[in-house]
Amino acid sequence: MNDGDETVIEAYDDGLRVVREERVRPDAYHVDGPDGRIASFEIPAAARLYADLYAVTGGFDEKETGRRGVPPTIARADEEVRMTYLAVRFSLPYAARAFEVDESAAREAVDSVHARAAELRSRDGGNG
């Protein structure tokens, strides 16, 4: 689906979607919800991971969490979700250091969240 300079590259049944914005400088990738833009990224994989994380948790609000804060929904979630949040917002090495695990363990957490989101999409009849 294309809307002007934006193309939907992933869509979820609940109105969540990953959108590529074509620009002169590097393209931007946004996670949009029914109420508008939720987050923006320079890397499509990061936008997809954030959207998957958002779908798995049922949504979360980053307002007033500060630069290094964590939304309450994420803080209360399981370790895989918390680790994935740090990986998408900072980096995989940062998440691994924060949890005192190897990067391979952090990668497994991220992969697990992707798999959980894929299961949600297939169960809900979504695409992607």
Side-chain angles (χ1 to χ4, degrees):
M1 195 169 12
N2 195 328
D3 182 19
D5 291 338
E6 293 188 348
T7 303
V8 175
I9 57 174
E10 189 86 52
Y12 297 72
D13 276 355
D14 59 1
L16 191 67
R17 58 194 199 142
V18 177
V19 178
R20 184 180 107 225
E21 177 187 2
E22 296 177 36
R23 307 184 304 180
V24 174
R25 54 191 181 279
D27 291 349
Y29 299 87
H30 309 290
V31 178
D32 291 347
D35 297 326
R37 183 131 308 143
I38 298 169
S40 297
F41 301 88
E42 293 180 1
I43 302 167
R48 281 189 169 111
L49 179 57
Y50 188 94
D52 282 353
L53 185 62
Y54 199 88
V56 164
T57 61
F60 51 88
D61 186 358
E62 290 185 292
K63 289 181 184 132
E64 300 183 27
T65 59
R67 230 174 67 78
R68 293 199 180 251
V70 176
T73 300
I74 299 295
R76 289 188 301 265
D78 62 62
E79 187 174 90
E80 287 179 339
V81 166
R82 294 191 319 266
M83 199 176 303
T84 299
Y85 181 81
L86 294 180
V88 75
R89 276 307 190 192
F90 303 108
S91 70
L92 193 67
Y94 180 93
R97 283 191 310 273
F99 282 84
E100 299 179 343
V101 298
D102 291 334
E103 285 185 34
S104 62
R107 168 57 55 204
E108 288 174 13
V110 167
D111 290 346
S112 176
V113 168
H114 272 309
R116 288 160 63 179
E119 185 178 317
L120 282 174
R121 285 192 302 275
S122 68
R123 186 174 58 223
D124 294 339
N127 62 18

